[in-house]
């Protein structure tokens, strides 16, 4: 029900509909007025124009409507058909006009009031809008703030996590450091090494426990004291040791490291022990601030060294004794042996016939064995002599030396001995070189194993050495015996002749090696044997 | 061998002394032979009254090295530092073939170094060569 007047009102707010309605209303009222007598108060109806104007958009239309009503009322006075009395008509028309204007004033005031309300309403609305906008802004800011806070929180959480990890790592590292420190300390103490530090005045700044213990002090008794006066005041013989000469001091006065092993440290109880120490300068940020000294008690070591020296000299004298023993024994053995040889020979000579064949055979066997023993003893003497005595190396013309050796050899039947190619001059002990060739050539002939053939001596020049060769085309040596032939007493056919002692090649090897050379054998059984040995060239 | 002065053999091994004496007999070299069984005995003879007699001082010595009481080297050193005796030539006759012994001997002014033979027959040879050599070479006269 309330909507209708509102609809009408809004409809009237449009200018053309309002004007049309006002016009139609005015025209119809004017017509009614004109169609009635003057005495009828037709002008009162014009109040409706004013009331309609109340619904118009602007309040000045109220005044327009009132003016129109007044004009039409006055016009009606003149145009309406006469009737009634003049004063009545005049009063009628005046009352109508009065009513129109009274209504108009009332409506105006009402409209004015309504407009004021509307303005307040608009203002309120505007305020509301503003408030809403602020609200929205606030909400946005709020949201932004929340986002930032969340972001910050996340960052803080991450930082926290990182810090926690760092702290954990730090703790771990600290633990490891502590472990390492513990390990190092344990090692340093277990190794029986003393460590202490000195400042530039020679005052002890720190000491490890084993170091203090070795000197018989507590750590607190050493720190802050002058270490030299405490433990290093005297030399091993007890004479005073001025600190100006002390090598420990030199580390921080001269800035170099010193290692000393022939001094002593003095214990608290006045005794001393031989110590080996290293004193090293200590730098902090490139500035010399003192020294670090590590030391150990070397009593046991010194004791062992002394024992070793004693043992060595014992060994040496024993060696000398042994050598002279070997020499004297072999020497003294030769005399009685020669007696046996002589007598068995005389026995053979003088009584051989009466002994009969069997007896002669026994005597021959006796001779053979005693002679063999004689050669053995001679060989042993020669062997023990090599390297036993200092021998002078002199320039030797190897060609003529070998010629001499060949001349002194017993006749070799159909075995030819020759020197092939030039032979150099070498620096060697002459007797030894003679022994080498004598043994190699005699060996070749002795074990030739064929009726005919030859032994050839030659020499080649190789880098830094002369390579001598004694070659023969005799029966050769089986490969499995190559190593054996150089061993002592390893003659491969000792029963054949008494002078095959098994010392010859051992002697040759010893001589060659003692004079900086090497010897080797090559052979093909049934075909040839080749001994080659080197003699270093002398620069 | 020149001169009629005797030969002194300093040798502890009787077999060797016997061999030498036999060899001199067999080769018919008429030489008076005096023997001493070690250096000390030899020195006693050389410095004693007996040797002081005319014609009794030897002008050649055959010396063994390895002997008891006083060995060959000790004996050599003594006579080589004795103004009167150091002129007597000494020939070493030993079983040692050590080069040390050889060098030491020659350093003490010996006149020769001979190895005792393995075959007793060899003594004949040795004596013959010695005789030949000392017939060629003059011997000193010791007063």
């Amino acid at each position: 029900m309330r909507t209708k007047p509102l609809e009408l009102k809004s409809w009237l707010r449009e200018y053309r509909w309002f004007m049309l309605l006002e016009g139609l209303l005015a025209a119809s009222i004017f017509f009614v007025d004109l169609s009635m007598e003057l005495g009828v108060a037709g002008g009162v109806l014009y109040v409706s124009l004013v009331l309609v104007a109340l619904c118009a958009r602007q309040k000045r239309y109220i005044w327009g409507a009132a003016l129109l009503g007044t004009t039409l009322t006055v016009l009606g006075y003149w145009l309406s058909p006469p009737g009634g009395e003049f004063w009545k008509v005049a009063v009628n028309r005046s009352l109508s006009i009065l009513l129109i204007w009274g209504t108009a004033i009332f409506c105006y005031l009402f409209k004015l009031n309504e407009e004021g309300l509307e303005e307040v309403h608009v203002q309120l609305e505007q305020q509301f809008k503003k408030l809403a906008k602020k609200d929205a802004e606030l909400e946005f800011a709020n949201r932004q703030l929340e986002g930032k806070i969340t972001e910050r929180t996340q960052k803080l959480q991450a930082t926290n996590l990182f810090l926690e990890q760092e702290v954990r790592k730090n703790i771990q590292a600290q633990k490891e450091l502590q472990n390492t420190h513990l390990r190092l300390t344990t090692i340093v103490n277990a190794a029986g090494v003393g460590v202490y530090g000195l400042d530039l005045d020679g005052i002890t700044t720190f000491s490890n426990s084993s170091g203090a213990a070795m000197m018989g002090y507590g750590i607190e008794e050493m720190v802050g004291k002058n270490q030299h006066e405490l433990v290093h005041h005297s030399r091993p013989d007890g004479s005073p040791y001025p600190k100006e000469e002390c090598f420990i001091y030199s580390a921080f006065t001269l800035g170099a490291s010193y290692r000393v092993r022939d001094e002593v440290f003095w214990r608290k109880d006045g005794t001393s022990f031989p110590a080996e120490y290293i004193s090293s300068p200590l730098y902090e940020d490139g500035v010399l601030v003192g020294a670090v000294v590590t030391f150990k008690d070397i009593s046991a070591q010194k004791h062992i060294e002394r024992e070793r020296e004693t043992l060595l000299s014992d060994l040496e004298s024993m060696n000398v004794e042994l050598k002279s023993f070997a020499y004297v024994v072999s020497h003294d053995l030769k005399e009685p042996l020669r007696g046996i040889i002589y007598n068995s020979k005389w026995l053979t000579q003088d009584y051989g016939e009466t002994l009969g064949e069997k007896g002669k055979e026994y005597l021959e066997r006796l001779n053979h064995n005693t002679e063999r023993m004689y050669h053995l003893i001679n060989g042993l003497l020669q062997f023990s002599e090599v390297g036993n005595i200092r021998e002078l190396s002199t320039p030797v013309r190897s060609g003529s030396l070998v010629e001499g050796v060949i001349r002194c050899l017993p006749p070799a039947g159909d075995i030819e001995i020759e020197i092939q190619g030039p032979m150099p001059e070498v620096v060697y002990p002459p007797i030894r070189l003679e022994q080498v060739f004598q043994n190699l050539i005699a060996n070749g002939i002795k074990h030739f194993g064929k009726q005919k053939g030859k032994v050839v001596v030659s020499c080649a020049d190789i880098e830094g050495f002369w390579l001598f060769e004694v070659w023969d085309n005799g029966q050769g040596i089986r490969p499995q015996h190559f190593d054996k032939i150089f061993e002592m007493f390893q003659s491969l056919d000792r029963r054949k002749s008494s002078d095959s002692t098994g010392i010859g090649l051992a002697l040759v090897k010893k001589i060659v090696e003692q004079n900086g050379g090497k010897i080797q054998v090559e052979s093909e059984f049934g075909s040839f044997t080749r001994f080659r040995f080197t003699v270093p060239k002398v620069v | 061998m020149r001169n009629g002065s005797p030969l002194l053999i300093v040798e502890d091994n009787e077999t060797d002394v016997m061999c030498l004496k036999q060899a001199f007999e067999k080769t018919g070299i008429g030489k008076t032979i005096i023997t001493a069984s070690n250096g000390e005995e030899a020195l006693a003879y050389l410095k004693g009254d007996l040797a002081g007699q005319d014609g009794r001082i030897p002008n050649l010595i055959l010396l063994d090295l390895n002997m008891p009481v006083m060995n060959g080297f000790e004996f050599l050193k003594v006579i080589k530092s004795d103004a009167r005796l150091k002129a007597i030539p000494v020939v070493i006759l030993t079983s040692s073939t050590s080069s040390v012994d050889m060098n030491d001997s020659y350093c003490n002014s010996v006149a020769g170094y001979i190895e005792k033979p393995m075959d007793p027959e060899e003594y004949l040879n040795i004596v013959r060569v010695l005789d030949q050599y000392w017939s060629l070479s003059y011997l000193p006269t010791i007063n």
Side-chain angles (χ1 to χ4, degrees):
Chain A
M1 288 296 282
R2 274 197 56 103
T3 56
K4 261 192 182 166
L6 273 174
E7 275 170 18
L8 179 72
K9 205 176 169 183
S10 60
W11 180 67
L12 282 176
R13 283 178 88 91
E14 224 165 303
Y15 183 71
R16 47 184 172 153
W17 298 119
F18 168 74
M19 279 303 188
L20 186 68
L21 183 65
E22 283 282 295
L24 281 173
L25 202 59
S28 42
I29 293 169
F30 193 56
F31 178 70
V32 171
D33 190 30
L34 285 186
S35 55
M36 282 188 288
E37 278 178 41
L38 256 179
V40 180
V44 180
L45 295 172
Y46 292 117
V47 173
S48 61
L49 285 179
V50 175
L51 288 171
V52 168
L54 191 62
C55 296
R57 187 182 297 266
Q58 284 169 321
K59 53 188 185 286
R60 57 187 161 98
Y61 292 156
I62 292 169
W63 302 127
L67 211 59
L68 183 65
T70 307
T71 311
L72 289 176
T73 306
V74 174
L75 271 175
Y77 175 70
W78 274 306
L79 294 176
S80 294
E85 293 163 62
F86 175 69
W87 63 280
K88 279 184 184 168
V89 172
V91 169
N92 250 346
R93 296 281 157 181
S94 299
L95 278 171
S96 295
I97 289 167
L98 198 68
L99 193 65
I100 287 167
W101 286 98
T103 309
I105 288 165
F106 176 77
C107 284
Y108 183 80
L109 288 172
F110 178 81
K111 191 88 177 167
L112 201 66
N113 190 32
E114 198 181 309
E115 272 181 4
L117 271 171
E118 226 164 81
E119 204 174 314
V120 169
H121 188 79
V122 168
Q123 275 181 351
L124 268 173
E125 240 170 42
Q126 278 176 348
Q127 288 296 330
F128 271 128
K129 269 183 196 159
K130 274 186 190 169
L131 267 174
K133 203 176 156 193
K134 281 272 160 76
D135 226 39
E137 276 177 6
L138 206 66
E139 214 181 303
F140 179 69
N142 234 346
R143 263 204 299 277
Q144 264 187 336
L145 203 67
E146 258 172 36
K148 273 185 186 167
I149 285 171
T150 314
E151 202 180 321
R152 280 284 160 83
T153 309
Q154 276 171 354
K155 271 189 188 168
L156 268 174
Q157 272 173 346
T159 312
N160 236 349
L161 203 70
F162 175 72
L163 275 175
E164 253 173 46
Q165 280 174 347
E166 283 296 296
V167 167
R168 223 174 291 139
K169 269 193 215 163
N170 233 333
I171 290 171
Q172 183 74 18
Q174 220 161 9
K175 253 186 211 163
E176 270 169 28
L177 200 68
Q178 272 175 350
N179 282 341
T180 309
H181 187 254
L182 193 70
R183 239 188 341 257
L184 278 176
T185 314
T186 313
I187 289 169
V188 166
N189 282 334
V193 176
V195 183
Y196 65 82
L198 299 177
D199 65 10
L200 288 175
D201 296 319
I203 303 297
T204 311
T205 51
F206 70 89
S207 169
N208 72 341
S209 54
S210 58
M214 268 189 256
M215 315 235 215
Y217 288 96
I219 294 173
E220 70 288 343
E221 286 179 289
M222 293 174 80
V223 173
K225 301 261 173 58
N226 185 301
Q227 188 78 356
H228 185 83
E229 285 163 18
L230 206 62
V231 300
H232 206 213
H233 46 75
S234 304
R235 296 188 195 273
D237 61 3
S239 64
Y241 191 170
K243 57 189 170 197
E244 293 75 29
E245 294 169 20
C246 171
F247 286 108
I248 296 176
Y249 268 61
S250 301
F252 58 81
T253 52
L254 304 174
S257 285
Y258 293 87
R259 185 196 191 102
V260 178
R261 64 187 314 272
D262 55 357
E263 290 182 1
V264 296
F265 278 148
W266 295 86
R267 295 195 190 91
K268 193 183 181 183
D269 62 9
T271 58
S272 66
F273 61 89
E276 175 178 355
Y277 66 77
I278 300 169
S279 182
S280 314
L282 183 64
Y283 292 94
E284 265 172 29
D285 300 324
V287 181
L288 189 63
V289 295
V292 174
V293 182
T294 55
F295 69 96
K296 56 184 176 189
D297 185 341
I298 54 167
S299 312
Q301 221 169 314
K302 287 258 173 185
H303 181 69
I304 289 167
E305 268 170 35
R306 272 197 302 278
E307 269 193 353
R308 204 174 124 251
E309 269 163 36
T310 319
L311 278 174
L312 265 180
S313 73
D314 281 359
L315 192 70
E316 213 167 298
S317 62
M318 272 165 76
N319 237 340
V320 170
E321 254 173 53
L322 196 70
K323 277 169 187 170
S324 60
F325 176 79
Y327 174 78
V328 170
V329 164
S330 348
H331 213 265
D332 288 353
L333 279 175
K334 262 171 112 177
E335 290 287 314
L337 190 62
R338 233 162 13 81
I340 298 169
I341 294 169
Y342 288 8
N343 284 292
S344 78
K345 278 194 174 162
W346 288 331
L347 197 62
T348 319
Q349 267 172 22
D350 298 354
Y351 302 97
E353 297 309 318
T354 45
L355 284 173
E357 282 305 306
K358 204 79 179 167
K360 261 164 76 178
E361 199 192 313
Y362 289 153
L363 271 179
E364 254 163 48
R365 223 180 279 166
L366 180 68
N367 283 340
H368 178 85
N369 275 306
T370 43
E371 272 175 30
R372 189 176 139 67
M373 191 159 171
Y374 193 81
H375 288 301
L376 263 173
I377 291 169
N378 263 348
L380 272 177
L381 275 171
Q382 282 182 341
F383 190 84
S384 72
E385 246 185 45
V386 176
N388 208 347
I389 45 166
R390 272 183 63 86
E391 288 172 316
L392 207 64
S393 291
T394 53
V396 185
R397 279 155 59 199
S398 61
S400 40
L401 184 133
V402 174
E403 277 168 22
V405 168
I406 294 170
R407 262 202 305 279
C408 288
L409 284 170
D414 280 334
I415 301 165
E416 240 180 279
I417 306 168
E418 63 173 89
I419 299 171
Q420 248 177 30
M423 297 286 280
E425 186 178 273
V426 296
V427 176
Y428 223 77
I431 300 171
R432 300 302 165 212
L433 193 60
E434 211 176 278
Q435 282 176 327
V436 169
F437 279 112
Q438 199 274 330
N439 275 291
L440 287 179
I441 298 169
N443 198 70
I445 295 167
K446 209 185 293 168
H447 304 290
F448 207 84
K450 292 178 184 173
Q451 290 305 310
K452 272 179 80 172
K454 59 179 178 178
V455 178
V456 179
V457 181
S458 62
C459 183
D461 185 349
I462 58 169
E463 186 85 29
F465 291 91
W466 294 110
L467 180 67
F468 287 97
E469 180 177 311
V470 178
W471 177 93
D472 70 69
N473 57 1
Q475 63 179 0
I477 306 164
R478 292 178 200 274
Q480 64 263 38
H481 295 138
F482 285 0
D483 286 336
K484 242 182 181 171
I485 55 167
F486 289 114
E487 284 172 25
M488 196 80 150
F489 308 124
Q490 289 293 339
S491 182
L492 300 175
D493 51 0
R494 58 172 58 178
R495 275 185 200 91
K496 213 187 270 176
S497 64
S498 65
D499 58 349
S500 181
T501 58
I503 296 176
L505 287 178
L507 178 72
V508 166
K509 187 172 164 32
K510 195 174 175 187
I511 292 171
V512 167
E513 287 176 356
Q514 290 248 330
N515 287 284
K518 278 180 182 163
I519 184 160
Q520 62 181 131
V521 62
E522 254 176 83
S523 182
E524 200 177 288
F525 191 67
S527 157
F528 75 92
T529 306
R530 176 192 284 130
F531 282 99
R532 288 199 287 191
F533 69 96
T534 53
V535 172
K537 289 179 185 172
V538 179
V539 185
Chain B
M1 257 184 228
R2 290 168 187 267
N3 301 9
S5 297
L7 165 77
L8 175 61
I9 297 175
V10 189
E11 172 63 76
D12 64 317
N13 190 324
E14 283 169 22
T15 310
D16 289 332
V17 175
M18 191 189 81
C19 286
L20 278 167
K21 280 184 171 175
Q22 278 182 356
F24 272 96
E25 269 171 36
K26 279 185 185 169
T27 49
I29 301 162
K31 187 85 176 168
T32 316
I33 293 172
I34 301 157
T35 58
S37 62
N38 62 57
E40 208 172 70
E41 269 181 32
L43 271 181
Y45 174 79
L46 287 171
K47 292 186 169 179
D49 294 337
L50 209 58
Q53 291 168 21
D54 234 16
R56 296 295 292 171
I57 185 100
N59 59 2
L60 184 62
I61 298 172
L62 284 182
L63 178 66
D64 185 21
L65 288 179
N66 200 15
M67 290 177 296
V69 189
M70 181 189 257
N71 71 25
F73 284 117
E74 289 163 328
F75 172 77
L76 254 184
K77 275 175 190 145
V78 176
I79 66 158
K80 288 301 172 188
S81 55
D82 185 296
R84 191 170 64 101
L85 301 174
K86 70 177 171 192
I88 308 171
V90 178
V91 172
I92 303 293
L93 188 64
T94 177
S95 54
S96 166
T97 47
S98 149
S99 57
V100 179
D101 285 348
M102 288 176 206
N103 285 14
D104 284 354
S105 300
Y106 281 107
C107 285
N108 282 294
S109 312
V110 298
Y113 191 105
I114 301 166
E115 187 192 356
K116 285 179 186 169
M118 210 174 61
D119 186 342
E121 297 298 311
E122 271 291 300
Y123 274 111
L124 280 176
N125 213 9
I126 290 170
V127 167
R128 251 185 232 122
V129 174
L130 274 176
D131 178 53
Q132 274 173 10
Y133 180 75
W134 292 113
S135 300
L136 181 69
S137 170
Y138 290 92
L139 279 164
T141 308
I142 315 294
N143 296 312

